Amino acid sequence: MKECEAKDYQQAHKKEMRAVQDSMDVLSGKWKIAILSSICYYNKRRFSDILHDVEGISNKMLSKELKELEINKLVNRSVMDTQPITVQYELTEHGRTLQTIINHLTAWGIEHRKKIIGE
Amino acid sequence: MKECEAKDYQQAHKKEMRAVQDSMDVLSGKWKIAILSSICYYNKRRFSDILHDVEGISNKMLSKELKELEINKLVNRSVMDTQPITVQYELTEHGRTLQTIINHLTAWGIEHRKKIIGE
DNA sequence: CGGGATCCTTACTGATACTG
DNA sequence: CAGTATCAGTAAGGATCCCG
């Protein structure tokens, strides 16, 4: 391989890594995926419902994570005009494109557990 | 939906969430995927090479992350009998099963960047 | 109900230096 | 070369209370 080709090769690789990092920046952390999973499983979900679905999360964390997900346009927040106020969260179209990845992660997680813990 | 069915529904969901969490526990963090990516891109890779590939990582972090990846049986560590000593890392068979997920994350990351930053 | 503000503890990280 | 050790700063996360 010529030097310039090696360089291109490495450049391509770095680009890929940046892309994966971008994804992980959005998705990693203790709660994000669980929250997304809860919302998309039920289609629409209220704050307190998610709080209940995701075991162990505090309201502070949930509030923070939902904000970040909203900034990244993965979820939509809509205040319902009820008494008292309720807030609905749902996945955006962009958020729904994560479905495939979440499914793969689910499948892989099950296999992984078998391999590591179950032996 | 009867109550018992609703319960099953929720139980199934919790199981899925745990699986995804298991995956994320292994993969999330600032460096793991970049390290895996570096190793599998070159097939076999030495400590100092990875240190160079993954921009910004410190040797301490790399050492720690590699240890965790080894514990999770995603990479194999082999000490080469050279002078001075070199250490080769490569993906295990189990580690290679992550390829699909990494590819998806790459593709999604590119789309996400377009959507969020590039607008 | 859906959060925000505060305080506090721990986990994560980086920089630097050192060893076999 | 491939790590370990130490120190110190930052950020993540939990608990609790408060507000419209």
Side-chain angles (χ1 to χ4, degrees), chain A residues 29-31 56 58-61 64:
Chain A
K30 206 169 167 182
W31 308 109
S58 65
N59 59 346
K60 180 181 119 184
M61 272 303 112
K64 203 193 86 187

Coordinates of all heavy atoms in Angstrom, one line a residue, chain A residues 29-31 56 58-61 64, chain D residues 11-18 20:
Chain A
G29 N -24.7 6.7 28.7 CA -25.3 7.1 30.0 C -26.2 6.1 30.5 O -26.6 5.2 29.8
K30 N -26.5 6.3 31.7 CA -27.2 5.2 32.4 C -28.6 5.0 32.0 O -29.2 3.9 32.1 CB -27.1 5.5 33.9 CG -27.2 4.3 34.9 CD -26.8 4.7 36.3 CE -27.2 3.7 37.3 NZ -26.9 4.1 38.7
W31 N -29.3 6.1 31.6 CA -30.7 6.0 31.4 C -31.3 6.2 30.1 O -32.4 5.7 29.8 CB -31.3 7.1 32.4 CG -30.8 7.0 33.8 CD1 -30.0 8.0 34.3 CD2 -31.1 6.0 34.8 NE1 -29.8 7.6 35.7 CE2 -30.4 6.4 35.9 CE3 -31.9 4.9 34.8 CZ2 -30.5 5.7 37.1 CZ3 -31.9 4.1 35.9 CH2 -31.2 4.6 37.1
G56 N -35.4 3.0 39.5 CA -34.2 3.5 40.1 C -33.9 5.0 39.7 O -33.1 5.6 40.3
S58 N -34.2 8.9 39.4 CA -34.7 10.0 40.2 C -35.4 11.0 39.2 O -35.1 11.1 38.0 CB -33.7 10.7 41.0 OG -32.7 11.4 40.1
N59 N -36.3 11.8 39.8 CA -37.0 12.8 38.9 C -36.0 13.8 38.3 O -36.1 14.2 37.2 CB -38.1 13.5 39.6 CG -37.6 14.2 40.9 OD1 -36.5 14.0 41.3 ND2 -38.4 15.1 41.4
K60 N -35.0 14.1 39.1 CA -34.0 15.0 38.6 C -33.3 14.5 37.3 O -33.2 15.2 36.3 CB -32.9 15.3 39.6 CG -31.8 16.3 39.2 CD -30.8 16.5 40.2 CE -29.4 16.0 39.8 NZ -28.4 16.2 40.9
M61 N -32.9 13.2 37.4 CA -32.2 12.6 36.3 C -33.2 12.5 35.1 O -32.8 12.9 34.0 CB -31.8 11.2 36.7 CG -30.4 11.1 37.3 SD -29.2 11.8 36.2 CE -28.7 13.2 37.1
K64 N -33.6 15.7 33.4 CA -32.4 16.1 32.7 C -32.2 15.3 31.4 O -31.9 15.9 30.3 CB -31.1 15.9 33.6 CG -29.9 16.7 33.2 CD -28.7 16.3 33.9 CE -28.0 15.2 33.1 NZ -26.9 14.5 33.8
Chain D
dA11 P -16.9 19.6 34.0 OP1 -16.8 20.1 32.6 OP2 -17.5 20.5 35.1 O5' -17.8 18.3 34.0 C5' -17.2 17.0 33.6 C4' -18.0 15.9 34.2 O4' -17.7 15.7 35.6 C3' -19.5 16.1 34.2 O3' -20.1 14.9 33.8 C2' -19.9 16.5 35.6 C1' -18.9 15.6 36.4 N9 -18.6 16.1 37.7 C8 -18.4 17.3 38.2 N7 -18.2 17.4 39.5 C5 -18.3 16.1 39.9 C6 -18.2 15.5 41.2 N6 -17.9 16.1 42.3 N1 -18.3 14.1 41.2 C2 -18.6 13.5 40.1 N3 -18.8 13.9 38.9 C4 -18.6 15.2 38.8
dA12 P -21.5 14.8 33.0 OP1 -21.2 14.5 31.6 OP2 -22.3 15.9 33.5 O5' -22.1 13.5 33.6 C5' -21.3 12.3 33.9 C4' -21.7 11.6 35.1 O4' -21.4 12.3 36.3 C3' -23.3 11.4 35.1 O3' -23.5 10.0 35.3 C2' -23.7 12.2 36.3 C1' -22.5 12.2 37.2 N9 -22.3 13.4 38.1 C8 -22.3 14.7 37.8 N7 -22.1 15.5 38.8 C5 -22.0 14.6 39.9 C6 -21.7 14.8 41.3 N6 -21.6 16.0 41.8 N1 -21.6 13.7 42.1 C2 -21.8 12.5 41.5 N3 -22.0 12.2 40.2 C4 -22.1 13.3 39.5
dG13 P -25.0 9.5 35.1 OP1 -24.9 8.1 34.6 OP2 -25.8 10.5 34.4 O5' -25.5 9.4 36.6 C5' -24.8 8.7 37.6 C4' -25.3 9.0 39.0 O4' -24.9 10.2 39.4 C3' -26.8 9.0 39.1 O3' -27.2 7.9 39.9 C2' -27.2 10.3 39.7 C1' -25.8 10.8 40.3 N9 -25.7 12.2 40.2 C8 -25.8 13.1 39.2 N7 -25.6 14.4 39.5 C5 -25.3 14.3 40.9 C6 -25.0 15.3 41.8 O6 -24.9 16.5 41.6 N1 -24.7 14.8 43.1 C2 -24.8 13.5 43.4 N2 -24.5 13.2 44.7 N3 -25.1 12.5 42.6 C4 -25.3 13.0 41.3
dG14 P -28.7 7.5 40.2 OP1 -28.9 6.1 40.3 OP2 -29.6 8.3 39.3 O5' -28.9 8.1 41.7 C5' -28.1 7.5 42.7 C4' -28.4 8.3 44.0 O4' -27.9 9.6 44.0 C3' -29.8 8.3 44.5 O3' -29.9 7.9 45.8 C2' -30.2 9.8 44.3 C1' -28.8 10.5 44.5 N9 -28.7 11.8 43.8 C8 -28.8 12.0 42.5 N7 -28.6 13.3 42.1 C5 -28.3 13.9 43.3 C6 -28.0 15.2 43.6 O6 -27.9 16.2 42.8 N1 -27.8 15.5 45.0 C2 -27.9 14.5 45.9 N2 -27.7 14.9 47.2 N3 -28.2 13.2 45.7 C4 -28.4 13.0 44.4
dA15 P -31.4 7.7 46.5 OP1 -31.3 6.6 47.4 OP2 -32.4 7.8 45.4 O5' -31.5 9.1 47.4 C5' -30.4 9.5 48.1 C4' -30.8 10.6 49.1 O4' -30.6 11.9 48.5 C3' -32.3 10.6 49.4 O3' -32.5 10.9 50.8 C2' -32.9 11.6 48.5 C1' -31.8 12.6 48.3 N9 -31.7 13.2 47.0 C8 -32.0 12.6 45.8 N7 -31.8 13.4 44.8 C5 -31.5 14.7 45.3 C6 -31.2 15.9 44.8 N6 -31.2 16.2 43.4 N1 -30.9 16.9 45.6 C2 -30.9 16.7 46.9 N3 -31.1 15.5 47.6 C4 -31.4 14.6 46.7
dT16 P -34.0 10.9 51.5 OP1 -33.8 10.4 52.8 OP2 -34.9 10.2 50.5 O5' -34.3 12.4 51.5 C5' -33.3 13.4 51.8 C4' -33.8 14.8 51.5 O4' -33.5 15.1 50.1 C3' -35.3 15.0 51.8 O3' -35.5 16.0 52.7 C2' -35.8 15.5 50.4 C1' -34.6 16.0 49.7 N1 -34.6 16.0 48.2 C2 -34.2 17.2 47.6 O2 -33.8 18.2 48.2 N3 -34.3 17.1 46.2 C4 -34.7 16.0 45.5 O4 -34.7 16.1 44.3 C5 -35.0 14.9 46.2 C7 -35.5 13.6 45.5 C6 -35.0 14.9 47.5
dC17 P -37.0 16.3 53.3 OP1 -36.9 16.4 54.8 OP2 -37.9 15.4 52.7 O5' -37.2 17.8 52.7 C5' -36.2 18.7 52.7 C4' -36.5 19.9 51.8 O4' -36.3 19.4 50.4 C3' -37.9 20.4 51.9 O3' -37.9 21.8 52.0 C2' -38.5 20.0 50.5 C1' -37.3 20.0 49.6 N1 -37.5 19.2 48.4 C2 -37.2 19.7 47.1 O2 -36.7 20.9 47.1 N3 -37.3 19.0 46.0 C4 -37.7 17.8 46.1 N4 -37.9 17.1 45.0 C5 -38.1 17.2 47.3 C6 -37.9 17.9 48.5
dC18 P -39.3 22.6 52.2 OP1 -39.1 23.7 53.2 OP2 -40.4 21.6 52.3 O5' -39.4 23.3 50.7 C5' -38.4 24.1 50.2 C4' -38.7 24.6 48.8 O4' -38.7 23.4 47.9 C3' -40.1 25.2 48.7 O3' -40.0 26.4 48.1 C2' -40.9 24.2 47.9 C1' -39.8 23.5 47.1 N1 -40.1 22.1 46.7 C2 -40.2 21.7 45.3 O2 -40.0 22.6 44.5 N3 -40.5 20.5 45.0 C4 -40.7 19.6 45.9 N4 -41.0 18.3 45.5 C5 -40.7 19.9 47.3 C6 -40.4 21.1 47.6
dG20 P -44.5 29.8 43.1 OP1 -43.9 31.1 42.9 OP2 -45.5 29.5 44.2 O5' -45.3 29.4 41.8 C5' -44.6 29.4 40.5 C4' -45.4 28.6 39.5 O4' -45.5 27.2 40.0 C3' -46.9 29.0 39.5 O3' -47.4 29.0 38.1 C2' -47.6 28.0 40.3 C1' -46.8 26.8 40.1 N9 -46.8 25.8 41.2 C8 -46.7 26.0 42.5 N7 -46.7 24.9 43.2 C5 -46.9 23.9 42.2 C6 -47.0 22.5 42.4 O6 -47.0 21.8 43.4 N1 -47.1 21.8 41.1 C2 -47.2 22.5 39.9 N2 -47.3 21.7 38.9 N3 -47.1 23.8 39.8 C4 -46.9 24.4 41.0

